[in-house]
Amino acid sequence: MYILVAVCIALGVFKSYSRNKGNFDIELIAKTCGSLCFVAVGVLAFYLSEHTGKEKSYALAVILGLILGLIGDIFLCLYDCNSHPKRKNLIQTVGVAFFFLGHLCYMFNFLTLEPFKLYLLPTLIVLPIVYIILACKVLTSSKAQNIMLAIYYLALNLILTSSINLMIVRGVNAFTLLNLIGCVLFISSDTVLGLSWFAPSLKLPKSHDYYIILSYYAAQCLFALSIFFI
């Protein structure tokens, strides 16, 4: 299981190296294989843990979220390979939609495990507000994209808040730490990705793609491993 995590991270490095060299076909293969690895980690964790009841439902929902992430990854690689503007926008939108559905899987999963603390509700607007500020200051995204991405950041905020809720109810342990750290990595990866797409004026370093993919793969692997530790 942990060997698969290491392979996933190594493929992430190779994916970014191929992208920087302009080998987009190799990038697509490396990213698809890397994403298959984090799905395999989740399936193996499920097989080894032999969960029943609520824990089994949690594990299956995480695996579904991982598969949705895999599909989203393929679309984002196709986005990099495509040069037609309208087609690129469509591919990008579909890819983001699959990630959004994956986030919903994680969010509902966390919320079904433990009752939600109502005093955490005000925190749900933090990331959408941060996004709106960025959109006003540095982003070049269209109005439709801003609406879509504000909703996407709301979903990110929901999984972060629900993971914090899990830690409050269950305490600090391997399961709650894996989910919380995974959420933070996911948010940071998506934020840097969004800035690379819609904030060209920031001129991010070339190494930013390494951070995007490695933090993303680490997040997905942590969610997959949480199946074993629940």
Side-chain angles (χ1 to χ4, degrees):
M1 187 164 62
Y2 299 109
I3 293 173
L4 280 172
V5 173
V7 172
C8 180
I9 298 301
L11 285 167
V13 173
F14 184 59
K15 175 264 178 200
S16 292
Y17 175 80
S18 300
R19 177 186 174 85
N20 287 339
K21 293 294 183 181
N23 298 325
F24 295 116
D25 291 339
I26 301 298
E27 179 196 12
L28 176 58
I29 294 169
K31 191 172 186 184
T32 302
C33 291
S35 300
L36 284 170
C37 282
F38 65 63
V39 174
V41 171
V43 173
L44 187 57
F46 175 70
Y47 174 76
L48 293 174
S49 57
E50 298 181 352
H51 290 313
T52 58
K54 197 180 272 191
E55 286 77 16
K56 183 177 181 179
S57 298
Y58 170 87
L60 292 174
V62 169
I63 291 171
L64 176 59
L66 295 171
I67 292 170
L68 290 167
L70 163 65
I71 298 170
D73 287 337
I74 294 171
F75 273 98
L76 292 194
C77 270
L78 292 174
Y79 169 84
D80 291 331
C81 298
N82 204 294
S83 58
H84 193 280
K86 288 186 178 179
R87 205 169 293 163
K88 279 177 77 77
N89 286 337
L90 177 61
I91 292 170
Q92 182 188 63
T93 301
V94 174
V96 170
F98 275 106
F99 285 120
F100 177 76
L101 292 173
H103 294 330
L104 290 183
C105 282
Y106 296 141
M107 178 196 69
F108 285 119
N109 219 5
F110 296 156
L111 292 177
T112 55
L113 287 176
E114 301 293 347
F116 186 75
K117 300 293 184 183
L118 293 180
Y119 60 77
L120 291 173
L121 280 175
T123 66
L124 295 178
I125 62 171
V126 173
L127 287 181
I129 289 175
V130 170
Y131 175 77
I132 291 169
I133 292 171
L134 284 173
C136 294
K137 297 291 185 180
V138 297
L139 302 185
T140 59
S141 45
S142 66
K143 184 177 180 180
Q145 287 171 328
N146 283 334
I147 294 171
M148 177 186 72
L149 291 171
I151 294 171
Y152 183 80
Y153 266 84
L154 175 60
L156 287 174
N157 208 144
L158 284 166
I159 63 168
L160 176 62
T161 303
S162 54
S163 68
I164 293 170
N165 181 72
L166 266 182
M167 184 168 283
I168 291 171
V169 176
R170 293 198 172 194
V172 179
N173 53 49
F175 172 68
T176 57
L177 274 174
L178 286 170
N179 280 317
L180 181 59
I181 296 170
C183 289
V184 172
L185 287 171
F186 226 132
I187 291 166
S188 65
S189 175
D190 282 350
T191 300
V192 176
L193 177 61
L195 291 173
S196 71
W197 279 350
F198 302 119
S201 62
L202 292 182
K203 296 180 181 178
L204 298 175
K206 288 184 178 180
S207 59
H208 77 274
D209 190 63
Y210 285 93
Y211 180 79
I212 291 169
I213 193 63
L214 293 179
S215 56
Y216 166 69
Y217 274 173
Q220 293 285 40
C221 286
L222 291 178
F223 286 143
L225 288 172
S226 74
I227 294 172
F228 186 73
F229 290 96
I230 185 174

